[in-house]
Structure formats: C-alpha cells, structure tokens
C-alpha cells in the first residue's frame, strides 16, 4: 500500500520549519544538489536526535550485557545457558515488535510513538537496576521491556532519515546512523566494564535510564510527525503469525543450548518456521499488509539486506565471545576488558562516519568487499588467539575487525534502502531491522551453543584453554558469515546515492 510521507496537517506547527510536500516540490529547482527532503525541516539532525539516542541506547545494550554476564551468573547463581537470555530475550522482544513498526506508524503519529518507546526503555532500565538479588526473572523482565523500545526506535530512525534529509544526502545521513548502530555495540563492553569496575552491574541500567531520559526530552522538543496517518485495516491473523513465527523461531534456537534438539524444542522451531511461512504468504497476497514484502523483490534491496544480516551477525558473534574469552580464557579483569575493546570501538566510530560519505562518491560495491576482507582477517586473528596471547595482539585483531565491519555495513544498508521507491521505504526499513534482530538473536544463540560444544571438546590445557577452544568454534562461525557476505557482495551494483536519488 502506498504511504504518504507528508506531515499531518494538525502537526505542521510542531515540526520546526516543516513544509507540506507540495511546497517542497514547487520550490525545488532542477539538479541533484537541490533535491528536497520529503518533509522539509530546518535542522534535520536535531529532528533525528531523539531517534539517534534511542537507537544508540538499544544497540549499546545489546553488547554491554555481554561483559556483565560473568557477574550476573555469580550474583544470581545461574549458568551460561540461563544468562544468555539477557541477550537473547532482549532481541526476542525486538524481533516480535519490529514487524509492527511500519503498521504502527500508519496509526500513531511518529512523535508520540517515539516518546512511548523511550519511556519503555527508561522504565525497563529502572526495573532491572532495582531487581532483587534473588530474582533473575525481574531482571529479565526489565530487560525485555527495554526491547520494546529498541524494536520501535531502530526502524523509525532509518525510515525517518529518508523523510527529513534530501535524497542526495542520504548516504551521509546513513553514515551517521551507521555510527550509531556500529559504534554503540563496539563501545558497549568498554562502558560496561568501567561501570562494573567502579560500581556494579546495576550501574549499567541506571546509566541507560539517564540517557533514555535525555533522549525523551530531545524527542519532545525536536521530533516531528513525518507521516500521514492512513489507519489501514489491522489483520489479526497476520499479527498472530508474526508473533508466533519470529518469536517461536528465536525461542526454539535459543533453547537448544540448554535442552538440545529435544522434542519440545523441535516442535517450537517447526511452529515458528510454519508461522513465518504463513505470515509471508499472507503479506504478499493482501491489499494492506502489515509489512509490504514486495520490497524483497527488488534485487538491490535483497542483496544489501543479506550483507547487512551477515555483517551484523559477525559483530554480535564476536562482541558476544570476546569479552567472555578475555575474562575466562586470558584472565583479564572486567574493567581492563572494556579498555582492551576501546581502541576498536573508537576506530569503528571513525570508519562508520566516513563510510557513508564514501558511499555517496563511489557506491557500495568496493567498500563492502574491502570491509568484508578486513573482517575475515580480524576474525582469523581472533581464532588464532591462545591463553598466552598478548593484549596488544588482541587489540590489533579487534581493530582490524572494527575497520572492516562498519566499512561494509553503512554502504550495504544505504544501497539497500536507497533502491526502494517511496511507498516501500518504511516497509524496507522495518524488514531490514526485523531480519537484523531475528538473525542477531539466532546468531547469539548459535555462538553460545558452539562455545559450549568447543569447551566440551577440549581435553587438555585446563579451563582457560577449554574456553579459548570454545571461542574459536564461535569465531569460525563468524568467519563463515563473512565469507557468505563476500560472495553475496558480487550482486551489488556500482550506483552511488546520487544515482539512486535521480531514479527515484
């Protein structure tokens, strides 16, 4: 269904400097440099600030918990299979909420929807931060409430960028979004290590609450309502199959580490897969789908989306394994673990910032391939680490990886979204982010399974060597993802964002 992207008439005064779309088109002279945004605002970066902070929080918390898992296992007397739910449970909720974001934006103005999302993160952070020491369930409940926020804020960030920035500046804007998405999980372990070292794991959640409050204020001041409310029919069967499909599949994969391929786990997986198939078929044959999956019929979007999925998987797998390997395999203290990962986080931020601008000039093809080659080198170096490896070696391997991942991520994502026509832009963003979070949850679960299997296979060298062996199994999985993404990258076109803008 075609979705208009002009601001609602009743909210034009809220949007700072916002002008109706017809005025933008009449005023726009010819030429790529004068292309106008669909929603004209004076300061698009201020408009995006609440979304940037909300998405930053969401992605930051995906890896900040990794470094806290050993402490949580000790505090709550739980095993690694249970502790992983702080990561997987969070992404499970994101995967359930994300598919509904496009539909919600057609029913609820984007500004109040964002304010609701940020409120959920604030409340969830406080619940987890004040969770009793004998109740992991309360801790996990707060964590999953945070997932509601991230499930809404992430796709909104990418879709609103397409509305408030001129088309010939989408690459640079996506570079900023890439900085948010890639820098947050990279800096997460460093920040979490510092907070745990100075205070305790509870400080992480209180920090989240403080930033969520700042994001709420920014959104209340500068966010605009970027879409016209069309209020399409809500299909109940689509909603049910979406929840059963995405939730069931992630849940089934996550349970394998604790229960193996038992009959209940297999049943949950089968139900999830069948529900996803039913959901997809229904979306493709409806007049008003929850998500218009016809975006996947656009080759450039599908190729870019697959690369983004694999690249995000590399990030999550390595960021999940590295902090634990450093602490349990190499004997590094928790606060120092964060510092070890800091150089890579800084490099990640710089590359994320420039890769979007380079995409505007040279396109995605060679940036993506070069980034994936560097990612392979970084992962291989991590695979070769041992309990006697120096800190300098680990830092070097991590820095190489953190050059490669953002170098491929932002151009691939920009290429995918810029290839979509206007009526599919919001759906495309939702598809991309839904797949990203579902794949991320599955990859974290697979990394946990491989970590345990690798540990069990090690019969010499003690506990430290066993953990390093388990980590190697997980890093091998990350390497396989990089190789798959590299092969897929040969399907990318040579177009830049300006070429895409002129076609649209």
């Amino acid at each position: 269904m075609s979705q208009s992207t002009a601001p609602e008439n009743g909210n034009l005064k809220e949007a700072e400097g916002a002008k109706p779309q017809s005025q933008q088109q009449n005023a726009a002279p010819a030429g790529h440099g004068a292309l106008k945004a669909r929603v004209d605002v004076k300061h698009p970066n201020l408009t995006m600030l609440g979304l940037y902070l909300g998405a930053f929080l969401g992605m930051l918390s995906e890896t900040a918990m990794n470094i806290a898992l050993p402490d949580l296992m000790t505090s709550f007397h739980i095993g690694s299979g249970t502790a992983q739910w702080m990561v997987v449970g969070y992404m499970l909720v994101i995967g359930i909420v994300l598919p509904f974001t496009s539909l919600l934006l057609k029913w609820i103005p984007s500004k109040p929807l964002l304010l609701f999302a940020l409120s959920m993160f604030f409340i969830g952070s406080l619940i987890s931060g004040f969770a009793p020491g004998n109740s992991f369930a309360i801790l996990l409940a707060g964590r999953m409430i945070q997932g509601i926020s991230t499930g809404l804020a992430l796709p909104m960030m990418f879709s609103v960028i397409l509305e408030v920035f001129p088309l010939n500046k989408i690459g640079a804007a996506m570079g900023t979004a890439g900085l948010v998405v890639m820098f947050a999980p990279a800096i997460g372990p460093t920040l979490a290590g510092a907070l745990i070292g100075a205070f305790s794991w509870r400080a992480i959640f209180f920090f989240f609450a403080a930033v969520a409050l700042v994001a709420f204020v920014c959104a209340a001041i500068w966010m605009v309502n970027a879409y016209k409310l069309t209020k399409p029919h809500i299909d109940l069967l689509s909603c049910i199959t979406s929840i059963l499909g995405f939730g069931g599949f992630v849940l089934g994969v996550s349970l394998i580490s604790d229960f193996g391929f038992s009959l209940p786990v297999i049943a949950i997986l089968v139900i999830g897969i069948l529900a996803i198939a039913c959901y997809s078929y229904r979306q493709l044959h409806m007049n008003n789908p929850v998500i218009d999956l016809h975006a996947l019929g656009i080759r450039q979007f599908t190729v870019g989306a697959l690369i983004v999925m694999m690249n995000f998987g590399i990030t999550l797998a390595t960021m999940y394994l590295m902090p634990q390997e450093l602490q349990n395999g190499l004997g590094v203290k928790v606060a120092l673990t964060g510092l070890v990962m800091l150089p890579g986080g800084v490099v990640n931020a710089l590359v994320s910032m420039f890769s979007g601008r380079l995409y505007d000039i040279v396109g995605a093809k060679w940036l993506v391939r070069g980034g994936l080659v560097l990612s392979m080198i970084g992962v291989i170096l991590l695979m070769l680490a041992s309990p006697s490896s120096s800190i300098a070696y680990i830092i070097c391997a991590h820095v190489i990886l953190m050059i490669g991942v953002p170098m491929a991520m932002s151009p691939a994502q920009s290429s995918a979204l810029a290839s979509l026509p206007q009526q599919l832009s919001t759906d495309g963003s939702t598809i991309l982010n839904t797949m990203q979070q579902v794949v991320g949850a599955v990859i974290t679960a697979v990394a946990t399974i491989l970590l345990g299997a690798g540990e069990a296979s090690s019969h010499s060298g003690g506990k430290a060597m066993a953990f390093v062996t388990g980590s190697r199994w997980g890093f091998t999985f990350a390497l396989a993802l990089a190789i798959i993404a590299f092969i897929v990258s040969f399907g990318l076109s040579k177009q830049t964002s300006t070429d895409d803008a002129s076609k649209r």
Side-chain angles (χ1 to χ4, degrees):
M1 185 190 72
S2 177
Q3 177 182 326
S4 172
T5 54
E8 300 169 87
N9 292 334
N11 290 296
L12 287 176
K13 292 183 179 179
E14 270 185 12
E16 183 184 358
K19 298 177 183 178
Q21 192 174 9
S22 59
Q23 290 182 24
Q24 300 169 37
Q25 293 171 340
N26 293 337
H32 297 321
L35 287 171
K36 295 293 184 179
R38 296 170 184 166
V39 178
D40 190 16
V41 294
K42 288 183 179 178
H43 305 291
N45 284 309
L46 285 179
T47 300
M48 293 296 302
L49 187 55
L51 278 167
Y52 284 152
L53 287 173
F56 177 83
L57 265 178
M59 299 305 296
L60 178 71
S61 63
E62 287 201 358
T63 53
M65 281 297 100
N66 294 338
I67 203 168
L69 291 181
D71 281 59
L72 294 177
M73 291 164 64
T74 301
S75 298
F76 290 90
H77 308 289
I78 55 177
S80 59
T82 303
Q84 72 156 333
W85 278 96
M86 288 298 290
V87 178
V88 173
Y90 175 73
M91 287 191 283
L92 172 63
V93 174
I94 297 174
I96 290 173
V97 172
L98 260 167
F100 296 103
T101 305
S102 178
L103 177 63
L104 289 172
L105 285 171
K106 297 168 187 175
W107 274 87
I108 304 172
S110 46
K111 181 172 182 176
L113 186 61
L114 176 59
L115 293 176
F116 168 77
L118 295 173
S119 299
M120 288 297 96
F121 208 99
F122 178 76
I123 293 169
S125 298
L126 292 181
I127 290 174
S128 293
F130 287 113
N134 60 351
S135 180
F136 179 74
I138 294 178
L139 177 73
L140 182 59
R143 177 72 170 153
M144 295 177 81
I145 290 172
Q146 289 179 323
I148 297 172
S149 173
T150 305
L152 294 171
L154 266 180
M156 285 180 67
M157 177 178 69
F158 289 108
S159 61
V160 173
I161 279 176
L162 298 175
E163 311 307 317
V164 301
F165 283 94
L167 293 177
N168 60 326
K169 294 183 179 179
I170 282 179
M174 286 294 179
T176 303
L179 174 63
V180 170
V181 171
M182 301 307 298
F183 180 56
I187 202 69
T190 304
L191 179 62
L195 290 172
I196 293 172
F199 305 101
S200 74
W201 58 264
R202 296 181 187 274
I204 299 174
F205 291 102
F206 296 138
F207 173 80
F208 288 161
V211 178
L213 188 59
V214 173
F216 184 93
V217 172
C218 292
I221 297 173
W222 290 302
M223 181 62 182
V224 301
N225 293 322
Y227 303 97
K228 181 179 179 180
L229 302 185
T230 56
K231 297 187 177 181
H233 170 70
I234 297 177
D235 182 60
L236 184 59
L237 182 59
S238 293
C239 296
I240 293 173
T241 53
S242 175
I243 294 171
L244 287 177
F246 296 114
F249 183 67
V250 172
L251 177 63
V253 174
S254 303
L255 291 174
I256 293 173
S257 61
D258 279 337
F259 302 103
F261 286 97
S262 61
L263 186 59
V265 172
I266 293 175
I268 292 172
L269 283 170
V270 170
I271 291 171
I273 293 171
L274 289 176
I276 289 175
C278 179
Y279 174 81
S280 300
Y281 179 85
R282 191 162 180 80
Q283 300 317 297
L284 290 170
H285 294 83
M286 291 175 61
N287 291 328
N288 297 308
V290 177
I291 303 177
D292 193 341
L293 296 181
H294 287 96
L296 293 171
I298 298 174
R299 182 173 175 271
Q300 191 69 7
F301 175 79
T302 302
V303 169
L306 287 172
I307 295 171
V308 169
M309 298 310 105
M310 299 299 102
N311 210 35
F312 189 66
I314 296 166
T315 304
L316 284 186
T318 53
M319 293 302 98
Y320 176 74
L321 294 167
M322 270 192 67
Q324 297 185 75
E325 182 183 35
L326 285 168
Q327 293 178 66
N328 298 326
L330 278 68
V332 177
K333 299 295 184 183
V334 62
L336 182 58
T337 298
L339 293 175
V340 169
M341 301 182 76
L342 179 60
V346 173
V347 169
N348 183 303
L350 294 174
V351 177
S352 295
M353 188 181 304
F354 289 110
S355 61
R357 288 170 172 79
L358 287 174
Y359 164 75
D360 286 334
I361 301 170
V362 302
K365 189 173 181 179
W366 294 109
L367 286 172
V368 169
R369 290 182 191 173
L372 290 170
V373 168
L374 289 174
S375 295
M376 291 183 221
I377 294 171
V379 172
I380 290 171
L381 290 175
L382 290 173
M383 288 171 58
L384 297 176
S386 68
S388 60
S389 295
S390 68
I391 295 297
Y393 175 87
I394 300 297
I395 291 174
C396 179
H398 186 224
V399 166
I400 293 173
L401 179 63
M402 289 296 100
I403 294 173
V405 168
M407 184 174 168
M409 178 66 84
S410 181
Q413 189 156 265
S414 298
S415 174
L417 292 176
S419 68
L420 297 176
Q422 177 179 345
Q423 67 269 20
L424 290 176
S425 62
T426 302
D427 295 290
S429 177
T430 303
I431 291 170
L432 204 60
N433 285 281
T434 299
M435 291 171 62
Q436 204 166 316
Q437 295 305 314
V438 171
V439 168
V442 171
I443 284 173
T444 301
V446 172
T448 302
I449 294 168
L450 292 173
L451 177 61
E455 283 187 273
S457 72
S458 180
H459 302 292
S460 61
K463 290 183 178 180
M465 189 62 214
F467 203 94
V468 169
T469 301
S471 298
R472 285 175 180 170
W473 285 39
F475 289 134
T476 301
F477 176 55
L479 178 61
L481 294 175
I483 293 172
I484 293 170
F486 183 77
I487 294 171
V488 173
S489 71
F490 284 88
L492 286 171
S493 73
K494 298 179 180 179
Q495 292 175 342
T496 66
S497 65
T498 303
D499 296 327
D500 288 315
S502 63
K503 288 187 177 184
R504 295 169 65 195

